[in-house]
């Protein structure tokens, strides 16, 4: 049984650890709507009526920080702002 490795202290190369997905810090409106379980148009309408979750504008883009989406969902579940 010939070994490929010449020295006993050599170890075979290991597979790299699988990448774990990183949660984005903020979502574009369509993904934010999906996160909330509502339609993108509904989220748009809520934003225009100042009744939806807080958002940030980056240039011309609207982004919803994930922690604010979670807060807004909690407020809705508790009968928060109406």
């Amino acid at each position: 049984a010939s070994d490929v490795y010449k020295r006993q202290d050599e170890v075979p190369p290991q597979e790299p650890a699988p990448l774990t997905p990183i949660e984005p810090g903020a979502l574009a409106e369509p993904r934010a709507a999906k996160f909330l379980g509502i339609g993108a148009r509904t989220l748009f309408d809520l934003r225009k009526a100042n009744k939806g979750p807080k958002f940030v504008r980056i240039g011309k883009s609207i982004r919803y920080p994930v922690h604010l989406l979670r807060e807004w969902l909690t407020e809705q579940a508790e009968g928060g702002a109406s």
Side-chain angles (χ1 to χ4, degrees):
S2 74
D3 248 345
V4 176
Y5 301 97
K6 307 216 181 324
R7 297 183 351 212
Q8 277 188 324
D9 62 341
E10 285 187 54
V11 294
Q14 295 187 1
E15 292 290 319
L19 295 176
T20 54
I22 298 173
E23 182 178 280
L27 303 175
E29 202 156 63
R31 290 192 63 202
K34 191 171 189 173
F35 178 89
L36 295 171
I38 61 176
R41 181 61 198 216
T42 300
L43 182 56
F44 172 84
D45 291 341
L46 287 169
R47 177 169 57 85
K48 290 297 183 182
N50 290 320
K51 293 185 177 184
K54 293 179 182 174
F55 63 92
V56 294
R57 189 180 303 272
I58 303 171
K60 294 182 180 181
S61 299
I62 300 293
R63 295 290 182 265
Y64 291 86
V66 173
H67 74 280
L68 294 178
L69 292 173
R70 288 192 175 113
E71 282 179 20
W72 186 78
L73 273 176
T74 301
E75 290 169 6
Q76 302 314 299
E78 295 172 356
S82 44

